Amino acid sequence: MNAKLDSTVTARPVSRETFDQVLVPTYAPAAMVPVRGAGLDLWDQSGKHYLDFTSGIAVNSLGHCHPALVEVLTRQINSLWHLGNGYTNEPVLRLALALTEATFADRAFFCNSGAEANEAALKLARKYAHTKFGAHKSRIISCFSSFHGRTLFTVSVGGQAKYTEGFEPLPPSIDHIAYNDIEAARAAIGDDVCAVIVEPVQGEGGVVPGNPEFLKELRALCDKTGALLIFDEVQCGMGRTGALFAYMGYGVTPDILTAAKALGNGYPIGAMLTTDALAQTLAVGTHGTTYGGNPLAATVALSVLETINTPAFLARVKEASVNTIAMLQGLITDYPQVFSAVRGSGLLLGLVVSDAYKGRAKDIQKAAEAQGLMVLIAGMDVVRLAPALIVSDEQIAEAGRLLRVAIDGLLKA
């Protein structure tokens, strides 16, 4: 039926039930519907307050509705929205200059998401290898339990079979090794490999930091075989580990780095950063995107970068990390029947459940939400915390208090 949109339809109340009626069921969202946020505070439709320790899965690193970002976006909204890639724009040029000055990279490609950034990185690696060495050099090495996006290419590169089931046949010449397994890397990375892609800190795979020796060996093996080393810093980048990008803390420089999530603090943007020599492989017409690098996204991202990339800000992230880990260690001490360990880096932390609570991370997440604390999971055995990088010590303490109330309730159930 092709009818004029009825204004009563767009004005009618909506609820969580509306999701089940009109949206493709790719998610199972919480029962509450957030409607307003400020910093780490959120309120739902009923007015209930939540302390947000998810930051939109490590996206809102400066919190909800950060005043400086609201200001720059509002200014840009009143200036220029979109042009198309037949033209460039001032905000994207400024953002590219800032990112290349702050990192190893000489060149940037902008898109709309982490998946697209990884897609661009993998396409660049294949194209470079084919051009320089021939089509035989096309194999890609990734790690089990990794996550690199939801396109068919990136979900195949990601090392979790649950995300590829039913989508076969998958792109070929993609192999996986165990994360942090140096011997497996040595056995897998041969002369036919064009790229090795790795998360310096695995997020979805359980919040597992890369061992420095492992990442350094990947660098050495790529140098030896002519493969390109890709660091997926979509979740762990942009200050999350206490460095602007995690590679800086490891002392291992990749050939290509991907970023997204916190780069736009909620405004969709992704970036692929690389060297001048490699960038020349993607000549005019070889890759592109309609919205990538539009003035709105680039304006927000530049303000985010300028805010995060200061010594004082990054030092505070490290301080907040120490305080959060101490709070979580206290939980482990007081609830050994529920939690066994804390791991991660910076403000990307995982609270590992004990054997008695195996498979019950979701139960803990729901119990915390009932008390007004939003947390994430990373698999069924890890409660993941990724608060905004502006989190205060008072908010860290409050998160600990709410977790204790939630666990007490679970133990009594």
Side-chain angles (χ1 to χ4, degrees):
M1 184 176 179
N2 207 1
K4 181 180 179 181
L5 187 62
D6 187 346
S7 61
T8 61
V9 173
T10 57
R12 74 171 61 161
V14 292
S15 66
R16 171 61 181 81
E17 287 68 34
T18 311
F19 179 96
D20 295 330
Q21 296 166 4
V22 297
L23 287 171
V24 176
T26 52
Y27 306 108
M32 63 91 165
V33 179
V35 295
R36 182 169 62 91
L40 279 80
D41 297 306
L42 272 180
W43 292 267
D44 68 11
Q45 288 176 319
S46 67
K48 181 177 177 179
H49 170 264
Y50 297 85
L51 179 59
D52 183 4
F53 262 54
T54 72
S55 62
I57 315 183
V59 170
N60 304 318
S61 285
L62 299 181
H64 297 279
C65 299
H66 190 283
L69 304 185
V70 172
E71 181 183 352
V72 297
L73 179 57
T74 302
R75 190 185 313 133
Q76 188 59 48
I77 282 173
N78 288 301
S79 301
L80 186 66
W81 283 32
H82 178 75
L83 288 167
N85 50 31
Y87 307 88
T88 190
N89 63 81
E90 291 182 348
V92 78
L93 297 176
R94 294 191 184 102
L95 176 60
L97 283 170
L99 279 170
T100 54
E101 288 174 0
T103 67
F104 73 93
D106 307 307
R107 301 276 181 151
F109 171 82
F110 295 106
C111 48
N112 312 289
S113 67
E116 291 174 73
N118 284 328
E119 185 95 10
L122 295 164
K123 286 181 69 176
L124 169 58
R126 280 252 175 101
K127 189 81 161 58
Y128 174 78
H130 287 189
T131 301
K132 185 170 182 178
F133 300 102
H136 70 283
K137 193 174 183 64
S138 59
R139 196 157 58 92
I140 294 168
I141 302 297
S142 180
C143 293
F144 290 116
S145 299
S146 64
F147 185 87
H148 299 295
R150 295 280 197 160
T151 69
L152 188 59
F153 194 3
T154 57
V155 82
S156 302
V157 172
Q160 302 187 57
K162 65 183 178 181
Y163 294 132
T164 59
E165 291 172 0
F167 297 111
E168 299 85 354
L170 303 176
S173 299
I174 300 169
D175 294 314
H176 299 86
I177 61 174
Y179 192 64
N180 282 330
D181 189 329
I182 290 177
E183 290 307 315
R186 289 171 178 163
I189 302 172
D191 290 336
D192 63 337
V193 172
C194 71
V196 177
I197 183 169
V198 64
E199 299 163 271
V201 182
Q202 281 197 336
E204 306 297 322
V207 195
V208 183
N211 291 335
E213 298 78 13
F214 175 68
L215 297 179
K216 289 175 181 176
E217 183 64 13
L218 292 183
R219 176 71 275 174
L221 290 167
C222 286
D223 290 341
K224 178 182 177 181
T225 61
L228 300 184
L229 180 60
I230 304 170
F231 272 11
D232 177 345
E233 296 217 26
V234 170
Q235 187 163 170
C236 67
M238 289 303 295
R240 179 60 55 179
T241 63
L244 179 61
F245 288 105
Y247 84 86
M248 297 170 174
Y250 280 103
V252 179
T253 302
D255 299 295
I256 305 171
L257 182 144
T258 57
K261 286 188 179 292
L263 180 60
N265 203 71
Y267 200 104
I269 185 171
M272 178 193 72
L273 306 177
T274 191
T275 64
D276 190 61
L278 296 177
Q280 302 308 314
T281 305
L282 293 182
V284 174
T286 56
H287 192 56
T289 170
T290 296
Y291 294 110
N294 76 79
L296 299 175
T299 294
V300 174
L302 179 58
S303 186
V304 172
L305 177 64
E306 290 174 340
T307 302
I308 290 176
N309 193 30
T310 68
F313 188 98
L314 294 172
R316 170 56 196 167
V317 173
K318 294 176 182 177
E319 180 182 54
S321 174
V322 170
N323 295 339
T324 306
I325 291 171
M327 177 270 285
L328 296 177
Q329 291 286 6
L331 284 169
I332 295 168
T333 298
D334 294 342
Y335 299 94
Q337 69 274 51
V338 180
F339 301 115
S340 63
V342 59
R343 65 190 182 206
S345 180
L347 287 172
L348 179 58
L349 298 170
L351 195 53
V352 184
V353 303
S354 64
D355 289 341
Y357 268 72
K358 285 287 185 184
R360 295 191 62 188
K362 190 73 175 178
D363 293 340
I364 298 170
Q365 180 191 39
K366 289 181 178 178
E369 183 184 294
Q371 298 303 323
L373 175 67
M374 296 164 59
V375 295
L376 299 161
I377 61 172
M380 292 297 104
D381 300 327
V382 179
V383 177
R384 179 175 26 157
L385 287 80
L389 304 183
I390 59 172
V391 64
S392 68
D393 291 343
E394 292 77 15
Q395 289 168 324
I396 293 168
E398 177 65 4
R401 186 188 71 80
L402 293 171
L403 274 172
R404 287 171 181 272
V405 175
I407 297 305
D408 286 341
L410 274 180
L411 292 174
K412 291 175 183 177

Short mmCIF file of all heavy atoms in Angstrom, two decimals, residues 129-157:
data_model
loop_
_atom_site.label_atom_id
_atom_site.label_comp_id
_atom_site.label_asym_id
_atom_site.label_seq_id
_atom_site.Cartn_x
_atom_site.Cartn_y
_atom_site.Cartn_z
N ALA A 129 49.48 -7.12 -2.04
CA ALA A 129 50.21 -8.38 -2.24
C ALA A 129 50.10 -8.86 -3.69
O ALA A 129 51.08 -9.32 -4.27
CB ALA A 129 49.67 -9.44 -1.29
N HIS A 130 48.90 -8.76 -4.26
CA HIS A 130 48.72 -9.18 -5.65
C HIS A 130 49.56 -8.34 -6.60
O HIS A 130 50.16 -8.85 -7.57
CB HIS A 130 47.25 -9.08 -6.04
CG HIS A 130 46.39 -10.14 -5.42
ND1 HIS A 130 45.08 -10.35 -5.76
CD2 HIS A 130 46.66 -11.06 -4.46
CE1 HIS A 130 44.59 -11.34 -5.06
NE2 HIS A 130 45.52 -11.79 -4.25
N THR A 131 49.62 -7.04 -6.32
CA THR A 131 50.37 -6.14 -7.19
C THR A 131 51.87 -6.37 -7.08
O THR A 131 52.59 -6.39 -8.10
CB THR A 131 50.06 -4.67 -6.81
OG1 THR A 131 48.66 -4.44 -6.94
CG2 THR A 131 50.82 -3.71 -7.70
N LYS A 132 52.36 -6.57 -5.86
CA LYS A 132 53.80 -6.68 -5.64
C LYS A 132 54.34 -8.09 -5.82
O LYS A 132 55.45 -8.29 -6.33
CB LYS A 132 54.15 -6.17 -4.24
CG LYS A 132 55.65 -6.13 -3.99
CD LYS A 132 55.99 -5.41 -2.69
CE LYS A 132 57.52 -5.34 -2.50
NZ LYS A 132 57.88 -4.60 -1.27
N PHE A 133 53.54 -9.11 -5.40
CA PHE A 133 54.06 -10.48 -5.39
C PHE A 133 53.32 -11.43 -6.32
O PHE A 133 53.86 -12.46 -6.70
CB PHE A 133 53.98 -11.05 -3.96
CG PHE A 133 54.77 -10.27 -2.95
CD1 PHE A 133 54.14 -9.40 -2.08
CD2 PHE A 133 56.15 -10.42 -2.86
CE1 PHE A 133 54.86 -8.68 -1.14
CE2 PHE A 133 56.88 -9.71 -1.92
CZ PHE A 133 56.24 -8.83 -1.06
N GLY A 134 52.07 -11.12 -6.65
CA GLY A 134 51.28 -12.02 -7.47
C GLY A 134 50.09 -12.57 -6.70
O GLY A 134 50.02 -12.51 -5.46
N ALA A 135 49.14 -13.17 -7.43
CA ALA A 135 47.87 -13.60 -6.84
C ALA A 135 48.03 -14.74 -5.85
O ALA A 135 47.12 -14.99 -5.04
CB ALA A 135 46.90 -14.01 -7.95
N HIS A 136 49.17 -15.45 -5.89
CA HIS A 136 49.36 -16.57 -4.95
C HIS A 136 49.47 -16.08 -3.50
O HIS A 136 49.19 -16.84 -2.57
CB HIS A 136 50.64 -17.34 -5.31
CG HIS A 136 51.90 -16.58 -5.02
ND1 HIS A 136 52.35 -15.55 -5.85
CD2 HIS A 136 52.78 -16.65 -3.99
CE1 HIS A 136 53.47 -15.05 -5.34
NE2 HIS A 136 53.75 -15.70 -4.22
N LYS A 137 49.86 -14.83 -3.32
CA LYS A 137 50.04 -14.30 -1.96
C LYS A 137 48.74 -13.64 -1.52
O LYS A 137 48.55 -12.43 -1.61
CB LYS A 137 51.19 -13.29 -1.94
CG LYS A 137 51.67 -12.93 -0.51
CD LYS A 137 52.88 -12.03 -0.57
CE LYS A 137 53.44 -11.71 0.80
NZ LYS A 137 53.94 -12.90 1.53
N SER A 138 47.81 -14.47 -1.02
CA SER A 138 46.47 -13.95 -0.72
C SER A 138 45.91 -14.44 0.60
O SER A 138 44.84 -13.98 1.02
CB SER A 138 45.51 -14.36 -1.84
OG SER A 138 45.46 -15.78 -1.96
N ARG A 139 46.61 -15.33 1.28
CA ARG A 139 46.05 -15.91 2.51
C ARG A 139 46.06 -14.89 3.64
O ARG A 139 46.99 -14.10 3.78
CB ARG A 139 46.84 -17.17 2.89
CG ARG A 139 46.13 -18.06 3.90
CD ARG A 139 46.63 -19.51 3.81
NE ARG A 139 48.07 -19.60 4.02
CZ ARG A 139 48.64 -19.82 5.21
NH1 ARG A 139 47.88 -19.98 6.29
NH2 ARG A 139 49.95 -19.90 5.32
N ILE A 140 45.01 -14.93 4.45
CA ILE A 140 44.86 -14.03 5.60
C ILE A 140 44.87 -14.86 6.87
O ILE A 140 44.19 -15.89 6.96
CB ILE A 140 43.55 -13.22 5.48
CG1 ILE A 140 43.62 -12.27 4.29
CG2 ILE A 140 43.27 -12.45 6.77
CD1 ILE A 140 42.28 -11.65 3.92
N ILE A 141 45.64 -14.40 7.86
CA ILE A 141 45.70 -15.07 9.15
C ILE A 141 45.03 -14.19 10.20
O ILE A 141 45.34 -13.00 10.33
CB ILE A 141 47.16 -15.36 9.58
CG1 ILE A 141 47.86 -16.22 8.53
CG2 ILE A 141 47.20 -16.02 10.95
CD1 ILE A 141 47.27 -17.59 8.33
N SER A 142 44.12 -14.79 10.94
CA SER A 142 43.45 -14.12 12.04
C SER A 142 43.51 -15.03 13.26
O SER A 142 44.14 -16.09 13.22
CB SER A 142 42.00 -13.80 11.66
OG SER A 142 41.33 -13.15 12.72
N CYS A 143 42.87 -14.64 14.34
CA CYS A 143 42.89 -15.42 15.57
C CYS A 143 41.51 -15.95 15.92
O CYS A 143 40.50 -15.28 15.68
CB CYS A 143 43.41 -14.58 16.74
SG CYS A 143 45.14 -14.11 16.58
N PHE A 144 41.48 -17.13 16.50
CA PHE A 144 40.23 -17.63 17.05
C PHE A 144 39.73 -16.66 18.12
O PHE A 144 40.52 -16.00 18.81
CB PHE A 144 40.42 -19.01 17.66
CG PHE A 144 40.67 -20.09 16.65
CD1 PHE A 144 41.88 -20.77 16.62
CD2 PHE A 144 39.69 -20.44 15.73
CE1 PHE A 144 42.11 -21.77 15.68
CE2 PHE A 144 39.92 -21.43 14.78
CZ PHE A 144 41.13 -22.10 14.76
N SER A 145 38.42 -16.57 18.27
CA SER A 145 37.74 -15.71 19.24
C SER A 145 37.87 -14.23 18.91
O SER A 145 37.50 -13.38 19.72
CB SER A 145 38.27 -15.96 20.67
OG SER A 145 38.03 -17.29 21.06
N SER A 146 38.39 -13.90 17.73
CA SER A 146 38.49 -12.49 17.35
C SER A 146 37.16 -12.01 16.79
O SER A 146 36.27 -12.80 16.47
CB SER A 146 39.59 -12.30 16.30
OG SER A 146 39.27 -12.99 15.10
N PHE A 147 37.04 -10.71 16.68
CA PHE A 147 35.85 -10.10 16.07
C PHE A 147 36.31 -8.90 15.25
O PHE A 147 36.96 -8.00 15.77
CB PHE A 147 34.86 -9.64 17.14
CG PHE A 147 33.56 -9.13 16.57
CD1 PHE A 147 32.52 -10.00 16.29
CD2 PHE A 147 33.40 -7.79 16.29
CE1 PHE A 147 31.33 -9.53 15.75
CE2 PHE A 147 32.21 -7.31 15.74
CZ PHE A 147 31.19 -8.19 15.48
N HIS A 148 35.94 -8.91 13.96
CA HIS A 148 36.40 -7.85 13.07
C HIS A 148 35.27 -7.20 12.26
O HIS A 148 35.55 -6.40 11.37
CB HIS A 148 37.47 -8.39 12.12
CG HIS A 148 38.68 -8.91 12.82
ND1 HIS A 148 39.52 -8.08 13.54
CD2 HIS A 148 39.18 -10.16 12.94
CE1 HIS A 148 40.50 -8.80 14.06
NE2 HIS A 148 40.31 -10.06 13.72
N GLY A 149 34.02 -7.53 12.57
CA GLY A 149 32.92 -6.91 11.86
C GLY A 149 31.91 -7.91 11.37
O GLY A 149 32.07 -9.13 11.55
N ARG A 150 30.87 -7.41 10.72
CA ARG A 150 29.74 -8.26 10.31
C ARG A 150 29.52 -8.36 8.81
O ARG A 150 28.53 -8.95 8.38
CB ARG A 150 28.46 -7.74 10.96
CG ARG A 150 28.44 -7.82 12.47
CD ARG A 150 28.10 -9.21 12.97
NE ARG A 150 27.70 -9.18 14.37
CZ ARG A 150 27.01 -10.12 14.97
NH1 ARG A 150 26.64 -11.19 14.31
NH2 ARG A 150 26.69 -10.00 16.24
N THR A 151 30.39 -7.77 8.00
CA THR A 151 30.28 -8.04 6.57
C THR A 151 30.70 -9.49 6.34
O THR A 151 31.32 -10.11 7.20
CB THR A 151 31.19 -7.11 5.75
OG1 THR A 151 32.56 -7.45 6.00
CG2 THR A 151 30.95 -5.65 6.09
N LEU A 152 30.36 -10.05 5.18
CA LEU A 152 30.70 -11.46 4.94
C LEU A 152 32.21 -11.67 5.00
O LEU A 152 32.68 -12.69 5.52
CB LEU A 152 30.15 -11.91 3.58
CG LEU A 152 30.27 -13.42 3.31
CD1 LEU A 152 29.53 -14.23 4.37
CD2 LEU A 152 29.74 -13.76 1.92
N PHE A 153 32.97 -10.71 4.49
CA PHE A 153 34.43 -10.82 4.52
C PHE A 153 34.94 -10.75 5.96
O PHE A 153 35.68 -11.62 6.42
CB PHE A 153 35.03 -9.69 3.68
CG PHE A 153 36.49 -9.87 3.33
CD1 PHE A 153 37.22 -11.00 3.69
CD2 PHE A 153 37.17 -8.88 2.61
CE1 PHE A 153 38.55 -11.14 3.36
CE2 PHE A 153 38.50 -9.01 2.28
CZ PHE A 153 39.20 -10.14 2.66
N THR A 154 34.53 -9.72 6.69
CA THR A 154 35.09 -9.54 8.03
C THR A 154 34.58 -10.57 9.03
O THR A 154 35.30 -10.95 9.95
CB THR A 154 34.80 -8.12 8.55
OG1 THR A 154 33.40 -7.87 8.55
CG2 THR A 154 35.52 -7.07 7.72
N VAL A 155 33.36 -11.04 8.86
CA VAL A 155 32.87 -12.07 9.76
C VAL A 155 33.56 -13.40 9.49
O VAL A 155 33.72 -14.23 10.40
CB VAL A 155 31.32 -12.21 9.66
CG1 VAL A 155 30.91 -13.07 8.49
CG2 VAL A 155 30.75 -12.75 10.95
N SER A 156 34.03 -13.59 8.28
CA SER A 156 34.81 -14.79 7.96
C SER A 156 36.21 -14.70 8.54
O SER A 156 36.77 -15.69 9.01
CB SER A 156 34.89 -14.98 6.43
OG SER A 156 33.61 -15.08 5.87
N VAL A 157 36.77 -13.50 8.53
CA VAL A 157 38.08 -13.29 9.12
C VAL A 157 38.01 -13.41 10.64
O VAL A 157 38.91 -13.92 11.29
CB VAL A 157 38.64 -11.92 8.69
CG1 VAL A 157 39.92 -11.58 9.44
CG2 VAL A 157 38.91 -11.91 7.18
#
